[in-house]
Amino acid sequence: MKTDYFSQRSSIREYDNKSIPESLIRDIIERAMRAPTCGNMQLYSVIITRDPNKKAKLSEQHFNQPAATNSDLILTICADFNRFSRWCEISGATPGYSNFHSFITALTDAVILAQQIVTIAEMEGLGTCYLGTVTYNADAISNLLELPSLVVPVASISIGYPKNIPAQVERLPIEAILHNEIYRKDSDEDIRRLYKAKEEFPENIEYVKINSKPSLASIFTDIRYPKEMNELISQKFLSLLNEKDFLPH
Amino acid sequence: MKTDYFSQRSSIREYDNKSIPESLIRDIIERAMRAPTCGNMQLYSVIITRDPNKKAKLSEQHFNQPAATNSDLILTICADFNRFSRWCEISGATPGYSNFHSFITALTDAVILAQQIVTIAEMEGLGTCYLGTVTYNADAISNLLELPSLVVPVASISIGYPKNIPAQVERLPIEAILHNEIYRKDSDEDIRRLYKAKEEFPENIEYVKINSKPSLASIFTDIRYPKEMNELISQKFLSLLNEKDFLPH
C-alpha cells in the first residue's frame, strides 16, 4: 500500500487548547462544497457549535465523550431538503421531497460533504472525530439546533488541533471487503481467518480481558452496540423522520 | 478560497478507453479503508464490476447513462452488516443488527468509504462519477450482484481515465449552507438571493429554455426528481430494506 496521508491517518480524540481561525473553517467548508452532490442540489446544511454554553449542551447529547467536550468546535451536518423545497415553492414549483427516498438522497449528500470536510481539515493539520452518537439523540440535537421540517442531523464532527497522534488501530484485510463481480460466499472458516488479526490485536485482547467477556464479538453485541439499544434508537430515529416530514403520513 | 485539488475538482462522465491496473484499484481501496468507521466495524463491502457482460447488465439498471457505460469499471459500495453479524454468530455472540438504526450506521460507513475512494482515485488522476440511480433499482442491482441478507447497495461509482476535464458547474454561496449555533431562519427574500447565481448560471438558463419550463426549480420538480417517482422509489427501497432484514418484522 502506498504511504501517504490517506494510509497514515487516524481519528483524533484529544485536542490542544487552541482555537481554529474562523477563516480556516470557512475555507475548509467552501472547498468541501465541491464534493459530488446529487443533481447539484446540495441537500445539506452545516451548523457550527463553538459557543461554550451551547457546546456544553450539545456535548451532553453526545454523552460528554472527551472527543466532544475537549474539541474546539463541533460541526453538525444535516440532511436538508428544507432550503431546496422552499426555493421550489417561491419559484412556483411543487416540491415532492417529503418521503423516505428523498431523506436517503439528502443523507448521502450530507455524509459525502462530512467526509470531504474531514479530509480537508486533516490535510490542513487539524484533528477530527465523528461522533457516532448523533443518531442516538437526534431528536434532542434537533431541538437544540432548532432544526425545521425536512432537516435531520446525520453526522457530527469534532475538530481541533491534535494534542498527539495516536497509533493506528487495526483494519480487516482488503479481501474481507472486496468482491469481484458478485458477492462472494464466505465459509465460517473464511470469516474466522478474515477476523483473526482483529481478534489478536493487543488492545482488543486487553479490552476483552478487562470486561471479562468470552470473545471480542461479545464486546460489541453485549456492551457497545447491543440489540435492545439499536432497536430503541431505530424507533426514536424513525419518529424523528416522521416528525420532520420525511415519512409518508 | 484556497486553490487546490479540492476546490478545482469535477465529476467525470466521459472516459478514455484505457484500463485501470488491478493493483491501483486495490491500493486505492486499501488506503480508503483507513477512513473513519463506526466502532471500527467496517460495515461495508465493495463489489467491482469489470466483466463486459456483467457491466452491460449493471449499466442497464443505471439507465445506461454514459458515465456508466463508458467507464472502465463500476464500484458498488454496500451497507453490510452481514459479515460482522456472521462473525458474531461463529464467535458465540448474538448479533442485534437487524434493524433500521443499524442500516443507517452501515449506510454512513459505506458512504464515508465511497467518498474516500473518490478522493483518492481523483488524486491519482482518475475520473469518477456517482451514479445516483443506485437507489432507484437497488432491488435489481442487489439480485445482479447476489447480495445476501443485511447487505444493501447504497453508492455506485464509475471510474476511468478522464477523456477531458469539464468546466465546473455552479455551487450555492457558503452562506446558504453554513449556520452559526442554530439553524438560521431565512426569509423568502434570503432564499431568492442565495439561489440567484444558480438561476443565472448560463447552462441552467439554457436548460430551462430547451425544456420550455417556467423556472429552474420546475426542471427539478417536474422532470428530474418528481414527487411520484420519489414516492415510488421510497416504497421499492423500503421493501428492499425489509427483504434484507433491516426493518423490524
Side-chain angles (χ1 to χ4, degrees):
Chain A
M1 178 166 52
K2 189 166 160 179
T3 301
D4 63 0
Y5 152 73
F6 294 101
S7 59
Q8 300 298 307
R9 71 159 297 285
S10 288
S11 294
I12 300 291
R13 292 175 178 79
E14 291 186 79
Y15 304 99
D16 257 353
N17 189 10
K18 188 181 154 194
S19 192
I20 306 167
E22 188 66 30
S23 58
L24 177 56
I25 285 294
R26 281 179 65 94
D27 191 74
I28 289 167
I29 295 172
E30 207 160 7
R31 277 184 280 159
M33 282 168 54
R34 279 284 156 199
T37 155
C38 182
N40 200 12
M41 291 188 284
Q42 297 183 258
L43 304 169
Y44 45 65
S45 280
V46 179
I47 294 140
I48 302 190
T49 302
R50 197 197 273 275
D51 172 80
N53 289 328
K54 290 248 193 306
K55 196 162 157 291
K57 280 186 187 160
L58 183 58
S59 295
E60 253 179 58
Q61 299 306 326
H62 290 292
F63 306 108
N64 284 321
Q65 53 184 301
T69 54
N70 300 329
S71 68
D72 185 48
L73 51 86
I74 296 172
L75 301 182
T76 306
I77 291 121
C78 303
D80 185 344
F81 243 121
N82 179 295
R83 181 182 60 241
F84 191 84
S85 295
R86 285 193 60 199
W87 172 61
C88 291
E89 278 165 4
I90 63 179
S91 303
T94 307
Y97 308 112
S98 197
N99 47 62
F100 183 66
H101 169 62
S102 298
F103 169 67
I104 294 293
T105 304
L107 165 63
T108 303
D109 252 29
V111 175
I112 288 172
L113 181 80
Q115 182 51 24
Q116 202 79 337
I117 290 172
V118 162
T119 298
I120 300 174
E122 290 184 351
M123 288 182 106
E124 290 285 345
L126 295 168
T128 75
C129 185
Y130 280 94
L131 309 173
T133 39
V134 62
T135 42
Y136 292 33
N137 294 319
D139 49 353
I141 291 170
S142 183
N143 288 340
L144 275 175
L145 304 178
E146 303 185 17
L147 305 184
S149 167
L150 298 181
V151 181
V152 171
V154 294
S156 291
I157 305 166
S158 63
I159 312 194
Y161 287 93
K163 194 163 192 168
N164 47 49
I165 308 294
Q168 283 187 311
V169 294
E170 88 290 352
R171 286 286 194 266
L172 296 174
I174 186 171
E175 283 66 33
I177 73 130
L178 193 56
H179 301 254
N180 274 307
E181 308 295 345
I182 56 164
Y183 194 95
R184 187 186 57 245
K185 286 165 191 70
D186 287 330
S187 68
D188 286 1
E189 217 33 69
D190 292 330
I191 300 275
R192 269 194 203 97
R193 178 177 45 79
L194 294 168
Y195 280 81
K196 192 163 185 282
K198 187 180 188 76
E199 289 174 343
E200 291 175 353
F201 190 69
E203 283 183 36
N204 288 339
I205 290 178
E206 188 59 22
Y207 203 25
V208 172
K209 207 156 98 185
I210 292 171
N211 287 284
S212 312
K213 283 287 168 188
S215 66
L216 180 60
S218 61
I219 293 275
F220 288 94
T221 58
D222 299 0
I223 302 175
R224 298 189 66 184
Y225 307 101
K227 184 168 188 269
E228 297 67 29
M229 185 186 85
N230 296 329
E231 288 176 351
L232 180 67
I233 300 168
S234 297
Q235 279 179 10
K236 279 179 63 180
F237 198 69
L238 282 165
S239 294
L240 182 67
L241 291 188
N242 185 48
E243 188 194 311
K244 295 300 182 191
D245 306 310
F246 271 127
L247 290 183
H249 299 291
Chain B
M1 180 167 47
K2 190 166 160 180
T3 301
D4 63 0
Y5 151 73
F6 294 100
S7 59
Q8 300 298 306
R9 71 159 300 284
S10 288
S11 294
I12 300 291
R13 292 174 179 79
E14 290 186 78
Y15 303 99
D16 255 352
N17 188 10
K18 188 181 153 193
S19 192
I20 306 168
E22 189 64 31
S23 57
L24 178 57
I25 284 295
R26 281 178 65 94
D27 192 76
I28 289 167
I29 295 172
E30 208 160 8
R31 277 185 278 159
M33 282 168 54
R34 280 284 156 199
T37 155
C38 181
N40 199 11
M41 292 189 282
Q42 298 183 260
L43 304 168
Y44 45 64
S45 281
V46 179
I47 293 139
I48 302 190
T49 301
R50 197 197 271 275
D51 172 79
N53 288 329
K54 290 248 194 304
K55 196 162 158 289
K57 280 185 187 161
L58 183 59
S59 296
E60 252 178 57
Q61 299 306 326
H62 291 292
F63 306 107
N64 284 321
Q65 53 184 300
T69 54
N70 300 329
S71 69
D72 185 45
L73 50 86
I74 296 172
L75 301 182
T76 306
I77 291 118
C78 303
D80 185 342
F81 242 120
N82 179 295
R83 182 182 58 241
F84 191 83
S85 296
R86 285 193 59 199
W87 172 61
C88 292
E89 278 165 4
I90 63 179
S91 304
T94 307
Y97 308 112
S98 197
N99 48 63
F100 183 66
H101 169 61
S102 298
F103 169 68
I104 294 293
T105 304
L107 165 63
T108 303
D109 252 29
V111 174
I112 288 172
L113 180 80
Q115 182 52 23
Q116 203 79 337
I117 289 172
V118 161
T119 298
I120 301 174
E122 290 184 351
M123 289 182 106
E124 290 286 345
L126 296 168
T128 75
C129 184
Y130 280 94
L131 309 173
T133 39
V134 63
T135 42
Y136 293 33
N137 295 318
D139 49 354
I141 292 170
S142 184
N143 289 339
L144 274 176
L145 304 179
E146 304 186 14
L147 305 183
S149 167
L150 299 180
V151 181
V152 172
V154 294
S156 292
I157 305 167
S158 62
I159 311 193
Y161 287 94
K163 194 161 191 169
N164 46 50
I165 308 293
Q168 283 187 311
V169 295
E170 87 289 354
R171 285 287 193 266
L172 296 173
I174 187 171
E175 283 66 32
I177 73 128
L178 192 56
H179 301 253
N180 274 306
E181 307 296 345
I182 55 163
Y183 194 96
R184 187 185 59 243
K185 286 166 190 66
D186 288 330
S187 67
D188 286 0
E189 216 34 69
D190 292 329
I191 300 275
R192 268 192 204 97
R193 178 177 45 77
L194 294 168
Y195 280 80
K196 192 164 185 284
K198 187 181 188 74
E199 289 175 342
E200 291 176 353
F201 190 69
E203 284 182 35
N204 288 339
I205 291 178
E206 188 60 22
Y207 204 26
V208 172
K209 207 157 95 186
I210 291 171
N211 287 284
S212 312
K213 283 288 169 189
S215 67
L216 180 61
S218 60
I219 293 276
F220 287 94
T221 58
D222 301 359
I223 301 176
R224 297 191 66 184
Y225 307 101
K227 185 169 188 268
E228 297 69 27
M229 185 185 83
N230 296 329
E231 289 176 351
L232 179 68
I233 300 169
S234 297
Q235 280 179 11
K236 279 180 63 180
F237 198 70
L238 282 165
S239 294
L240 182 67
L241 291 187
N242 185 48
E243 188 194 311
K244 295 298 182 192
D245 306 310
F246 271 127
L247 291 183
H249 300 292

